[in-house]
């Protein structure tokens, strides 16, 4: 059966960027946590990343791509974004803001080109996995190529353990 391309995949295809697709079983529109995604795809959780969409008090949006086992450090994220503070966009607003639902939010192909930061832990890796734009689909690609495509910056934005 032919894989239906997501917007993120079409953007990568147009840019001529190499990527691999990993799928995992899911039940309809039911999102699963990132650690479960790593398990279901047979991947090291240190290589599987999640996409978080944040908003400032002035309603400026910032996107953060971090390891699934990590937690976004809101102070580091705000500092990176040049804001006093950030909050996660409420789930009820995520589709309207990003064009994606929870569990299917990709840093590629959002409604607008929001400023994006990828945690610096990704930079030395040969590839990372992140949502392909729908639940059950992960894209694997080089993080430096991802950063170049979406004009992202690498920054330490996760909470220290």
């Amino acid at each position: 059966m032919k894989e239906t391309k997501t917007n993120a995949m079409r953007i990568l295809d147009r840019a001529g960027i190499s990527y691999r697709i990993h799928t995992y079983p899911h039940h309809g529109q039911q999102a699963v946590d990132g650690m479960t995604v790593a398990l279901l795809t047979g991947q090291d959780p240190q290589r599987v990343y999640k996409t978080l969409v944040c908003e400032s008090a002035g309603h400026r949006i910032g996107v953060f791509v971090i390891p699934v086992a990590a937690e976004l450090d809101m102070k580091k994220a705000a500092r990176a974004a040049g804001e006093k503070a950030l909050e996660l966009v409420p789930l009820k607003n995520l589709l309207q803001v990003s064009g994606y639902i929870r569990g299917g939010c990709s840093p590629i192909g959002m409604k607008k080109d929001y400023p994006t930061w990828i945690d610096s832990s990704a930079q030395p890796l040969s590839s990372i996995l992140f949502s392909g734009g729908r639940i059950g689909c992960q894209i694997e690609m080089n993080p430096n190529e991802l950063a170049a495509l979406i004009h992202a910056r690498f920054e330490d934005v996760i909470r220290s353990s």
Side-chain angles (χ1 to χ4, degrees):
M1 188 161 107
K2 187 178 177 200
E3 175 75 31
T4 303
K5 298 269 182 166
T6 65
N7 192 37
M9 291 177 218
R10 287 188 290 276
I11 290 168
L12 288 167
D13 290 344
R14 277 195 304 272
I17 297 173
S18 173
Y19 65 95
R20 286 184 57 204
I21 299 300
H22 298 264
T23 58
Y24 59 91
H26 61 93
H27 303 290
Q29 298 289 40
Q30 190 69 13
V32 296
D33 68 273
M35 291 297 286
T36 302
V37 170
L39 178 69
L40 291 172
T41 57
Q43 301 297 317
D44 179 347
Q46 305 228 2
R47 292 184 52 240
V48 181
Y49 282 63
K50 58 188 172 186
T51 305
L52 302 175
V53 182
C54 296
E55 184 175 23
S56 71
H59 303 291
R60 285 183 291 279
I61 302 295
V63 178
F64 297 87
V65 182
I66 67 170
V68 295
E71 188 177 335
L72 183 64
D73 184 313
M74 297 307 272
K75 288 183 181 183
K76 288 180 181 178
R79 195 168 31 254
E83 298 289 345
K84 287 185 178 186
L86 291 173
E87 291 187 12
L88 289 173
V89 167
L91 286 180
K92 67 180 181 165
N93 299 341
L94 185 61
L95 179 61
Q96 177 186 358
V97 169
S98 69
Y100 291 117
I101 61 170
R102 179 178 179 263
C105 191
S106 179
I108 301 172
M110 289 201 179
K111 281 189 169 184
K112 295 183 181 178
D113 290 328
Y114 296 119
T116 302
W117 293 266
I118 302 170
D119 186 66
S120 55
S121 61
Q123 195 167 16
L125 301 175
S126 61
S127 68
I128 63 170
L129 285 81
F130 54 88
S131 176
R134 72 170 167 257
I135 296 171
C137 175
Q138 295 280 296
I139 290 175
E140 178 181 357
M141 67 178 287
N142 180 284
N144 294 291
E145 289 180 339
L146 172 63
L149 177 70
I150 62 174
H151 310 290
R153 290 166 280 203
F154 289 100
E155 189 83 33
D156 173 18
V157 292
I158 60 173
R159 191 174 303 244
S160 302
S161 19

